[in-house]
Every structure is written in structure tokens, then in C-alpha cells.
Amino acid sequence: MVRLPGRSATRPPRPSGQPRAPEGPRKDTSGANGGRPGVLRSVTGGSVAGQVFVLQVVIVLLLVVSAVVAQVLQVQHDSSREALNRSLAVAETFAHAPGTAAALRAPDPTAILQPKAEAARKDSGVDFIVAMNTDGIRYTHPKPDRIGKKFVGTIAPALAGGTVVEKIHGTIGELVQVVVPVKDSGGKVVGLVSAGITTEHVGGTADQQLPLLLAAAAAALALATGGTALVSRRLLRQTHGLGPYEMTRMYEHHDAVLHAVREGVLIVGGDGRLVLANDEAQRLLDLPEDAEQRHVLELGLDDDTAGLLSSGRVATDEVHLVKDRLLAVNQRPTDLRGGPAGSVTTLRDSTELRALSGRAEVARERLNMLYDAGVGIGTSLDVARTAQELAELAVPRFADFVTVDLFDPVLNGEEPRPGTELRRAACSGIRKDAPLYPAGERIRFVPTSPQARSLTTGQSVVEPVLSEAPGWLAQDLERTEQIVAFGIHSLITVPLRAGTLVLGLANFYRSEKPQPFDAEELALAEELVARAAVSIDNARRYTREHSMAVTLQRSLLPRSLPEQGALEIAYRYLPAQAGVGGDWFDVLPLSGTRVAMVVGDVVGHGLHAAATMGRLRTAVHNFSSLDLPPDELLGLLDELVGRIDQDETPADGAAVTGATCLYAVYDPVSQVCTVARAGHPPPALVHPDGRVEFPDVPAGPPLGLGGLPFETADLELAEGSRLVLYTDGLVEDRDRDIDEGLELLRDALGRAPDASPEDTCRAVLDSLPNRPSDDVALIVARTRVLGADRVAEWQVPSDPVAVSEVRASVTRQLAEWDLDELSFTTELILSELVTNAIRYGRGPIGVRLLRERTLICEVSDRSTTSPHLRYAATTDEGGRGLFLVAQLAERWGTRYTHNGKIIWAEQPLP
């Protein structure tokens, strides 16, 4: 119901000459029937009377509470002051009492002072009197078990002759205490006396007065409440139970509702006169300024609209043409519930509603496109793919053709360099035959082109009519003429900005829609490009970091395998789809024609994992040069990984937290491969007959855990066997467990029984169901045997005379191998090594010659002492043997075995 200012809040004004409609019974809210309902309602606070009642009660209550709190605080303050004065008086009286100073110097001060202190305490009403020496050791206390213990409180000022007053938590609770000095006749402080009262006793006076205070407060509150209730009852009758909002609404409803709504509202009285018309109704019907109180037939309206308003009949969404507007009219009578005669009419402009609905639909579509841009652009960390996602999203929803041009360094993950030469990274359109520059082409924009201006200024450029844009036409006269002839007529060029960097341009072309791009569409294009620029910059940064990590990783992996004759080897390395991992492998030639193979996996991904992998690979190189057994080498790696973990600070968040490794050493002479593993998958063995098995190699703990030893397994491999080493990325994935992966590997190896290592690597990788998500390192090694015709062995007695026999046997053997050129140097090397073994070692002593890529001389004995190369002085008679060996041999060293050592030396074959 519409109310007018200054009139009744429950009825509209009655037109002159109009008889008053019968009123229904009104409910008495004044409380006249007994008075109780009005008082109760006032207490509820819903009306003005109720709010006044509550406010006055609250004020009285606050005053009463404040008075009670002030009185309690004053009593507590007076009690505390009284307690302090009493404690000070008692302490000074006891300190100055005759005999106190003498008693403190007596042999047993407690026996003299304790009875006096207790008597004084009981007479004075304090809680304690403590006498103590200058070190704070108690001589008296109400609780005898506290005597002899340190006094709790501050005594330094009292020792200087002053008085200490403080509140502390002592041995008998929270208390107020005073400490005064005890001086002898010469004025020297010989002791201290403390007296005090606990806060529990201090507050006793307040507790005694509190019931009386509360009773007085309750009486005052009751009297104030009764008086307030009488005042509120009177106010309730005067306001008829209305609240503040209802009373204010009588005067503000017209401005807040009628003049603010976007619908026209008309109130027509029962006599056909216009009672009220809001601003929107006056605008829609073009009413004169003095329209109110005039008959609706006199307002200059069309006959249909005027007839509807004067009839007062019910109408629902009737459409009336008023001048150039189509109005939807609704009309209802006002006397349905006892109201005055007349009607209320509402008007809606359906013409404006349709236009508004169209704008809302366009806005909704733009919001949907921005939402789709947020979830559809940047789905991958690839720069070109992200640019293509922007182009595909905007076609055809925003533009008919979209191109994205980027600086070449951006495509490679680097920061853009200033210039106007870009490469077309993406192109999309409603047709494929548009004469635009194709994707991948390098474009140099002329200075007058909108693209060059956008790159220079960093601002968007709109060319509403391309055929009239000379700067754009000058880019390529032939191509721009073809573009205009194709039907492309409008362009928006927006720079791809990421912070202060301009990564490139996004170009939006229109051909199908005849209207050129406007300012709203420019804002949408900038918002769309701004979101895409963030994703493109993220992809650029990822490309840069990924390239750096891959470069680091590749530099740490072997670029080629060393030459050796014991194994025919092929390998593969597949990096992870995202980031770089810590998988690695290596092949290391050892002494005695043996070859070591190693594969490992550092936990985690990224630069830290790749760098740690390089450290471990370097460590394996160093440890393998010592000719250590596989289990000992893994033990040293375990300690190294543990130290690496300890060196990483928690703030770095990049601890290695372990690594896995498998280390195998193959000897082509004995055809034995010794294998040890640390948390790594076992190797696969393909026998010459095609049978595939996974040898039982003891599984040690991953590197870095420490505490448990590693064990080895010796595998006897027939010539032509294939040993397959791999990392867990080959057999384990988030879509399959390791058992399924091992079976896939077994099937792939079994399908090619006679395949070469290279073909085996290809077959294994081709058998994978999809690209692994983790790094994969794979080594396939086919065994070879160093035949007996290339190995010569002799047993040497522990007699210096036997050295000449060894030289003769070696000379004959070299002659059989057509290596007479090496006879002299070989005799010198073996003479020195055998002589040292006879002198310093333990028998039996053995000599072995191996002819492979080099000539290898080995001398073995049962001693574990290692020879050291030293440089003899000119006056020394000996000490030049190993120096000669080192000069004559290409390499030499010591290899320990389980029952002794072997000293070896290599010479290149002629």
C-alpha cells in the first residue's frame, strides 16, 4: 500500500466527496484491557516504547553496576592500604624491638625469635613475620618447614637500609609484604624482618560488604524498572505500537519506492482522478506536470490506455502502444481488503526491456568467454600451444580471425628483445583460406602499421575501417589488398604484456559482422589478452627453466660409451614429460678387461635432482677407479648421500631423501658378473636360448638410509647372454604397478631372442603402452668372452731365481702373440712386480697376461699391503722399481681380492 507524506500510515487519503469505506475491527494495542499486553510489548523492544524501556533499564543497570564496582574497588584499595600500613608497622616494631639485633647474632636465632615472631603475628593480625639474615635465609616462619630456606622477595634495598614494599607469590600464596632492615647500635644492617598479609585476607572486608551492596543495587534496579515500565506504557499508547522504522517509513516511502523503481506506478481514485504518478510513469506516458488530481481522460492519453485507467478493471500484462513505446500494463483494484476505492496500475517498457535483455545477453556471453579463457588458456606449459588456445577461444565468439605474433626469444623461453620483427605463433579463423600471414612466418612490421605502433607504445590500437587505414595498408600492399577484398574490414591489435615485458601481439579481425569494433569490444579484447599473456609468460619461464634443467641433465649424463671389449652395449635415456629427473647410467672400464655398469635414480625432479645425480655419477667414477667390490662401492655411496642430505638446510626444502642404484661388474675371463643393488629393481637376464629371468639379487636399502650392509650376487653368464639394467620409470607408472611392468618387460625381451642390444632397446621402448611419466634409463649389454688363447697364466715360487724363468716364459708367449716389440718393457715390468711380490708379499704368487685392446700384466699374491710409488734420491740404492713400471706402462694399479691383491699394468698394443 502506497503512503503519502504526512498522511495515515494505514490508509491512503480519502478523495473529497468519497464516503469512507467500512473499517474492520481494530485490535487494541494500547494495553487498555488490563494493561499487561502493552507493558509486555514494551519490554520486547520491538516498538519505540519497548526500545525506550530497554535503554533506560540498561542505563540504570550500568549505573548500579558501576557504583557496585567502584565501591568494591574502593574497599579493596582501603583494605590493601590498611594491610600495607599494618605490615609496615609490625615489621618495623619487630625489627626495632629490644633484643632482635642481638638474637640475630646468637648461635641459634630461631630458638629466640620464632616464639616472639609467632606471638607478635597472632597479636597483630598479619599472616607472617619472618626474620632472616642478610643472605635472605629465614630464621622464623609460620610454617616451621620453611625455616632455613631462602626468602621469596626483594631484599637488596633493605640491605642498603631502605624499606621494600611489594606484592608477590610467596610460600603461603599471593601476598603483600614489607621488608625492613635490623640495625645494630652502630647502624650496621645485621638482618632483615618481613611482615605481610595474603590477598585472601585483604579482600575479606570487601566480601563482607558485597551482599549489602548487591541488595541495594537490586532494590535500585527494581525501582528504576518499575518507573521505566510506567513511562513506556504511556509512550506505547501514543505511538500505537509502531517501531522507528514504521514511523519513518510513513514519510520516506514515497521517495524510497515510488520514485526509485524502474516501473511506472499510477494510483487512480474511485472517481477516475489521478491520485499519484511516480517519475517513471510520468516519463513513459509523458504526463503534464499538473496531472495529479486531474481525471485520466483529460491527460492526453490514447483512448485504449485512458479507458483502461478509468475503468479500474483487472489487467495482466496487456500491451499498449503509447507513442513509440510498447508498454506492458498491469492493473489491480485497491479495495480488495477494505481499502479505498480505486486502482493501482504498473507500467513496464518492453522496448527498453528487450534492448536491456540483449545487452545482458552480450555481457553474459563475454563473461562466459572470460571464464573459458581462465580455464582453457594455459592448459599446457608450451608457448606455441598457449598462443593457439587464445586464437581458438576467440574465434568465432569474439572475432572472425585471430593471429598471435611473438618475439622469437619468447618461443625459446628467453626475454623478448626490442624490435618490430615477430614470428606468427598461432592463427585461427572461421575459414582456412584467409590471405593472412601463415603460422610460423617471420614478420617485420613497418613503423606505420598498427602492430608496430602497439609494440612501440605498449597500448592497444583499433583500426575500425582497414580500407581507410593507410598505415596498415603500407605493411604489404599486395597482401593488404587481398585481405580487404576477402572481406576483413576491422582490426584490434593488443600487446601481450607480462609486467613490463611485451611478449608480442594479438590481432583480432572482423569480416562477417558489418559493424566495426567498438570501445567495449576493445576492453574485452584487452582483458582476454591480459589473461592469456600471464599464461604465455608462465610457459615462457617454464620453457627457459626446463631448457636449463635439460641442458644440465644432458651435460651430466655420458655422451658416448667408452671403448671396451667385454660387452656389446646399447642404451636409451627418455627424460620425463614434465621437468627433469635424477635417473642416470654409466659404463666404466676396469682393470683386467672387466667392465662395470651402473644405473641409478635420485628421488625427486628438478635441478636439484639433476645436480645430485651428477655428484653421484662423479662419485661412482672415483670409487670405481679404486677397483672396489660392488657392495663396498654402494656402502661409500650410501655415506655420500647421507652427507648430502645433512648438508641441505630445511629452509631449502630440497633434500635428496634417498636414491637407488644398481652396480654390476662383468669379468670376460671368468664370465662372472657380480651385482649389488640399493633399493633398485633387479636386472633382467636373457639367456642365449631366449629364456628371460630376473636373477635373485639381494635388495639392499636405498642410498642415504644407512645402517644396513649391502650384499652381492655372482651371476655366471654364457657368451651371448644379454643383461638388461633399467630404472623404475620403465616398469612402474601411476597407471600400473611394478609387477605388471616387469611382465611387460619380460614379454618384450622374450619376443626377440636373437636381437642385438640396439634392437632390444628399441623393442623394449616400443612395448610401452604410453610415454612414461618418469625418467627412463635403459642399458642392454651382450656378453663376450676373452678366450683362452688370449690368456696366459703361471705360478711363481717364492724364490728370486724364478724371476728369470718368468721372463723367459713371457718372452715365448709374446712371440706366439706376435708382440715381440713389447718383450723388453714387459720383462722389466714383470721382473719388478714379481720381485716385489717375492720380497714383500706372501705366496702363492701368480702371473697372468691378458691380450685384449691392451696388453695387461698382472701379478697376484696373498698379501694385502699396497705398494706406493716414491721418488728415490740420487744416493738411494733402491726404490726405483715402481717408478720404472709407471714410466713404461700406460696405466698401473692395485686391485684387492677376497684372498689378497693383484698389481696390474697396461701397455698399448703396437
Side-chain angles (χ1 to χ4, degrees):
M1 181 68 67
V2 179
R3 304 188 181 101
L4 298 177
R7 297 177 180 173
S8 171
T10 59
R11 293 284 190 275
R14 181 172 57 88
S16 61
Q18 176 73 20
R20 181 182 298 275
E23 297 183 357
R26 298 183 63 188
K27 186 175 180 179
D28 184 8
T29 60
S30 65
N33 297 329
R36 297 300 300 169
V39 176
L40 291 177
R41 176 164 181 172
S42 70
V43 176
T44 62
S47 62
V48 173
Q51 294 185 13
V52 170
F53 174 79
V54 173
L55 180 62
Q56 290 184 356
V57 170
V58 170
I59 292 174
V60 172
L61 181 61
L62 290 176
L63 291 175
V64 171
V65 171
S66 300
V68 172
V69 171
Q71 185 64 26
V72 171
L73 293 177
Q74 182 63 39
V75 171
Q76 289 180 347
H77 178 268
D78 295 342
S79 299
S80 299
R81 174 57 61 182
E82 174 62 23
L84 179 60
N85 294 335
R86 186 187 305 175
S87 299
L88 180 61
V90 171
E92 289 181 344
T93 300
F94 194 85
H96 299 154
T100 301
L104 289 172
R105 294 181 175 179
D108 188 3
T110 300
I112 302 172
L113 296 177
Q114 177 68 4
K116 296 180 180 181
E118 285 301 293
R121 179 181 66 83
K122 295 177 181 178
D123 293 339
S124 62
V126 296
D127 286 321
F128 69 88
I129 298 176
V130 175
M132 68 194 89
N133 62 12
T134 56
D135 294 330
I137 305 300
R138 301 189 187 98
Y139 290 148
T140 66
H141 197 277
K143 297 181 180 180
D145 58 341
R146 301 293 194 271
I147 297 175
K149 296 183 179 178
K150 186 75 173 180
F151 175 72
V152 179
T154 303
I155 65 174
L159 291 175
T163 300
V164 179
V165 179
E166 60 182 344
K167 293 182 179 181
I168 66 168
H169 182 80
T171 58
I172 59 176
E174 297 289 340
L175 51 86
V176 178
Q177 68 179 14
V178 176
V179 182
V180 299
V182 178
K183 301 180 180 178
D184 59 7
S185 58
K188 178 181 180 183
V189 177
V190 297
L192 304 172
V193 174
S194 175
I197 300 177
T198 60
T199 56
E200 179 181 359
H201 292 165
V202 172
T205 303
D207 295 339
Q208 294 173 4
Q209 297 180 1
L210 184 60
L212 180 60
L213 291 174
L214 292 179
L221 181 61
L223 292 175
T225 302
T228 302
L230 294 176
V231 175
S232 299
R233 180 179 178 181
R234 178 63 178 172
L235 185 60
L236 184 65
R237 289 197 187 102
Q238 295 178 349
T239 59
H240 299 284
L242 296 176
Y245 171 74
E246 293 174 327
M247 297 178 66
T248 305
R249 186 178 60 180
M250 292 188 303
Y251 303 99
E252 296 181 350
H253 189 75
H254 181 272
D255 292 334
V257 178
L258 295 180
H259 297 288
V261 296
R262 292 290 295 168
E263 285 192 358
V265 179
L266 299 171
I267 299 179
V268 179
D271 58 354
R273 295 181 179 276
L274 181 63
V275 177
L276 181 144
N278 69 346
D279 296 344
E280 186 68 7
Q282 291 180 355
R283 185 181 71 86
L284 294 176
L285 297 178
D286 195 16
L287 297 175
E289 295 183 358
D290 59 345
E292 293 186 1
Q293 302 304 324
R294 294 175 58 182
H295 201 280
V296 293
L297 299 178
E298 302 173 358
L299 301 179
L301 302 175
D302 63 277
D303 295 340
D304 290 341
T305 304
L308 174 62
L309 296 177
S310 63
S311 67
R313 63 181 176 84
V314 175
T316 302
D317 289 335
E318 289 189 9
V319 178
H320 290 258
L321 178 61
V322 179
K323 298 182 180 180
D324 58 346
R325 301 177 186 272
L326 286 176
L327 302 182
V329 181
N330 287 273
Q331 185 168 276
R332 295 291 185 274
T334 59
D335 56 357
L336 295 178
R337 298 183 180 180
S343 61
V344 175
T345 306
T346 61
L347 310 171
R348 294 197 311 273
D349 188 351
S350 61
T351 305
E352 293 183 355
L353 286 177
R354 282 197 296 268
L356 181 61
S357 176
R359 291 196 298 270
E361 181 64 23
V362 172
R364 186 185 64 82
E365 174 60 25
R366 292 178 178 179
L367 287 176
N368 289 339
M369 185 164 61
L370 291 177
Y371 171 79
D372 293 341
V375 299
I377 298 177
T379 58
S380 66
L381 292 173
D382 181 80
V383 176
R385 177 58 190 162
T386 304
Q388 187 64 33
E389 289 171 347
L390 168 62
E392 293 175 355
L393 177 74
V395 175
R397 300 168 66 176
F398 178 69
D400 299 319
F401 299 91
V402 177
T403 61
V404 180
D405 305 325
L406 300 175
F407 289 101
D408 273 336
V410 174
L411 294 170
N412 299 325
E414 302 172 7
E415 291 191 359
R417 291 185 287 272
T420 59
E421 185 174 344
L422 291 84
R423 186 177 297 276
R424 181 136 296 175
C427 184
S428 180
I430 58 176
R431 294 172 57 182
K432 301 296 183 182
D433 56 344
L436 300 171
Y437 289 110
E441 184 166 343
R442 188 188 298 272
I443 308 170
R444 181 181 294 277
F445 293 103
V446 298
T448 60
S449 66
Q451 289 85 354
R453 284 184 284 144
S454 181
L455 288 175
T456 303
T457 63
Q459 303 296 322
S460 303
V461 177
V462 180
E463 289 291 353
V465 182
L466 290 178
S467 59
E468 300 176 2
W472 176 79
L473 294 171
Q475 172 65 34
D476 185 340
L477 296 179
E478 181 179 357
R479 186 178 294 274
T480 53
E481 183 179 351
Q482 294 174 355
I483 292 175
V484 173
F486 187 79
I488 297 176
H489 60 82
S490 188
L491 165 67
I492 293 179
T493 296
V494 183
L496 284 157
R497 297 179 60 90
T500 59
L501 299 178
V502 177
L503 308 177
L505 296 169
N507 305 295
F508 302 89
Y509 298 92
R510 174 171 287 175
S511 64
E512 296 295 321
K513 188 177 180 180
Q515 294 83 5
F517 287 114
D518 56 22
E520 292 184 1
E521 290 169 326
L522 172 61
L524 175 62
E526 291 177 339
E527 178 69 20
L528 191 64
V529 172
R531 300 193 179 196
V534 174
S535 298
I536 291 176
D537 188 54
N538 289 338
R540 177 190 68 83
R541 294 173 182 270
Y542 171 79
T543 301
R544 179 187 60 189
E545 295 178 2
H546 183 70
S547 299
M548 293 172 56
V550 170
T551 302
L552 172 63
Q553 184 185 41
R554 289 177 177 173
S555 67
L556 296 175
L557 290 172
R559 300 182 181 180
S560 62
L561 297 182
E563 294 184 359
Q564 46 82 31
L567 297 170
E568 179 187 354
I569 295 178
Y571 66 92
R572 293 288 189 276
Y573 185 86
L574 297 180
Q577 292 180 350
V580 295
D583 290 18
W584 54 286
F585 67 94
D586 218 333
V587 176
L588 308 169
L590 303 178
S591 63
T593 70
R594 296 171 306 126
V595 176
M597 295 179 295
V598 58
V599 291
D601 183 7
V602 176
V603 175
H605 291 81
L607 287 174
H608 183 77
T612 304
M613 172 267 288
R615 297 170 69 176
L616 293 183
R617 180 169 175 256
T618 302
V620 171
H621 270 265
N622 295 332
F623 294 152
S624 65
S625 64
L626 302 176
D627 267 329
L628 297 175
D631 54 340
E632 294 185 19
L633 186 140
L634 291 183
L636 294 176
L637 282 181
D638 181 58
E639 295 180 5
L640 174 63
V641 174
R643 289 197 300 271
I644 293 175
D645 280 345
Q646 293 176 0
D647 291 342
E648 299 296 339
T649 60
D652 294 336
V656 177
T657 66
T660 66
C661 182
L662 185 146
Y663 189 79
V665 177
Y666 174 67
D667 188 349
V669 178
S670 63
Q671 299 179 247
V672 173
C673 183
T674 303
V675 184
R677 62 189 180 112
H680 202 83
L685 178 59
V686 184
H687 294 276
D689 58 1
R691 182 166 47 90
V692 181
E693 67 170 329
F694 294 94
D696 185 14
V697 179
L703 300 176
L705 299 184
L708 295 176
F710 299 97
E711 301 180 21
T712 61
D714 293 334
L715 309 178
E716 295 186 3
L717 306 181
E719 185 176 7
S721 300
R722 284 172 290 166
L723 190 64
V724 181
L725 310 182
Y726 52 90
T727 56
D728 59 355
L730 180 68
V731 296
E732 191 173 12
D733 198 283
R734 62 186 63 177
D735 298 328
R736 65 177 187 275
D737 57 18
I738 189 170
D739 293 334
E740 182 181 355
L742 291 176
E743 287 302 318
L744 291 175
L745 178 60
R746 184 194 299 272
D747 295 341
L749 295 174
R751 284 195 297 267
D754 298 329
S756 65
E758 189 68 29
D759 294 337
T760 303
C761 287
R762 188 179 303 110
V764 169
L765 296 183
D766 291 343
S767 67
L768 296 177
N770 47 45
R771 173 70 182 272
S773 58
D774 196 5
D775 292 8
V776 173
L778 173 65
I779 298 179
V780 178
R782 182 157 59 187
T783 61
R784 296 169 179 166
V785 176
L786 190 64
D789 59 334
R790 293 192 290 175
V791 179
E793 296 183 273
W794 300 274
Q795 293 296 322
V796 181
S798 297
D799 187 353
V801 179
V803 176
S804 60
E805 298 178 1
V806 171
R807 289 200 299 267
S809 300
V810 168
T811 301
R812 289 193 297 270
Q813 184 62 52
L814 293 178
E816 292 179 9
W817 287 345
D818 294 330
L819 297 176
D820 298 286
E821 297 179 14
L822 300 179
S823 296
F824 177 73
T825 57
T826 305
E827 287 182 9
L828 287 178
I829 291 173
L830 285 177
S831 296
E832 180 57 34
L833 296 181
V834 172
T835 301
N836 284 343
I838 293 173
R839 287 182 179 178
Y840 308 110
R842 297 200 308 266
I845 299 172
V847 175
R848 186 171 73 165
L849 288 183
L850 303 175
R851 179 188 178 187
E852 209 252 352
R853 295 178 179 272
T854 59
L855 180 63
I856 303 172
C857 304
E858 295 182 346
V859 176
S860 62
D861 64 82
R862 296 296 180 90
S863 172
T864 57
T865 59
S866 176
H868 295 281
L869 178 64
R870 68 185 183 90
Y871 299 94
T874 56
T875 58
D876 292 341
E877 296 182 0
R880 299 178 178 84
L882 286 180
F883 178 77
L884 291 175
V885 171
Q887 294 298 314
L888 296 174
E890 187 177 49
R891 294 193 310 151
W892 75 280
T894 304
R895 179 172 76 249
Y896 292 95
T897 63
H898 64 279
N899 56 3
K901 69 175 183 297
I902 297 174
I903 302 177
W904 55 270
E906 289 186 6
Q907 301 177 76
L909 296 179

